[in-house]
Amino acid sequence: MDNPTYTPTTIVAISIVLPLIAVVAVCLRFWVRTSYQPTYLGVDDWLAFAAVIFCLADGANLATAAIVGTQGRIWTPAEPPPDRLTAEAKSDYAQVILEKPFYALIKLSVLFFYRRIFHVHEKFRLINNGMIALVICWCVAYTLTEIFVCGAHPNHTWDPSVPATCVNQTWLDLSFAITDTIGDILVVSMPYHCIKQLQMGRREKWGIAAIFLLGTLSTAASIVRLGFIAEAFTHDFGPDGNANGSGTPPSVWSTIEGAVGVLAACLPPLGPLIRKGPNPKRTITSIKHMFSSSVHSTRKTSTGTVEDQEKVNMSRPSEYSQNHHHEEEPHRFV
């Protein structure tokens, strides 16, 4: 029987659509860097690129679990077929390994972006470097633990007949979810002190803060995922829990958190594109100038030559300057 909330079809759709959105966000990020507002591609951009590769792999793994595993299905009171249990166990093992560097790459991309734009703040730079080191250590520790969760016998996770002593996966999942959420909160809250010190108007500061605040979307997803894992933990989350479908929400929200995290990490670098979107006031002004130029050209042909009209324009320098020079755009952030 299908899970009424997370059906296999829903899970496959999530595993396809969200990673594709993340791919679009990263592509726009590279386009802004190289074409729209040319600048150099930094470490933060390449980390985002690596993160989206993991995002695609994570989505493919989730889709596989929904198609050939037990994701999105409830098998009570009967047990699921052995081949589905094996496929699900292999998918779970792959996911818990993939998500560690995946989430770390997202956090590192954001931290290196901070380093890129707030490098003049010495105290912030030191804190940021400390966070980078902490995230790397966090990633390496959890990734190695997941790979060797059953020592030299990882196949014990999908074949219990293989003798092995394993780390308690329930506690491992819960501790990772807690530290991941705390890390997200710390990373998202870091830049606001520097934004307050920027030499710009309050309205511009609020605009920049709002773009960074969108990073809380990923934090919200990690909190939801933590809630599902905590709930599963209270019901002794384990192989039997996955078999009857209770492991579905944490798995799905793991993919959601990662894809939303990539999107959130790309929003601040897309600031120039967001701020230079269609501006109704600017569009109306441009239309007025075009209309004025058209009327001016018609009058010019009826009253005199081009040279005579230029003399008239030069005699009114303020108007001439207004019609022939464009006002410089304000200083852009990012």
Side-chain angles (χ1 to χ4, degrees), residues 96-104 138-139 142-143 146 173 176:
V96 294
I97 293 174
L98 281 171
E99 68 181 6
K100 274 62 179 182
F102 180 19
Y103 292 176
W138 172 77
C139 171
Y142 271 101
T143 302
E146 291 290 4
D173 289 338
F176 177 76

Side-chain angles (χ1 to χ4, degrees), residues 177-296:
I178 292 173
T179 54
D180 174 52
T181 302
I182 293 173
D184 282 347
I185 293 172
L186 291 175
V187 171
V188 168
S189 62
M190 284 178 63
Y192 293 100
H193 178 70
C194 292
I195 293 174
K196 287 171 60 177
Q197 298 179 347
L198 291 174
Q199 300 299 316
M200 56 177 59
R202 181 177 297 180
R203 183 177 178 182
E204 290 177 299
K205 288 183 180 180
W206 277 110
I208 294 168
I211 293 175
F212 280 103
L213 193 62
L214 293 173
T216 56
L217 293 173
S218 176
T219 307
S222 69
I223 292 173
V224 173
R225 175 171 170 268
L226 173 59
F228 279 119
I229 290 178
E231 181 183 5
F233 178 78
T234 60
H235 292 86
D236 194 20
F237 177 49
D240 293 335
N242 281 335
N244 66 20
S246 65
T248 296
S251 301
V252 172
W253 278 94
S254 174
T255 301
I256 294 174
E257 178 187 348
V260 172
V262 173
L263 176 62
C266 290
L267 287 175
L270 294 180
L273 184 62
I274 296 172
R275 288 192 302 277
K276 290 190 67 176
N279 187 319
K281 183 177 179 180
R282 188 182 304 163
T283 303
I284 293 172
T285 303
S286 299
I287 293 173
K288 285 182 178 180
H289 278 299
M290 291 172 61
F291 181 79
S292 176
S293 299
S294 177
V295 174
H296 185 67

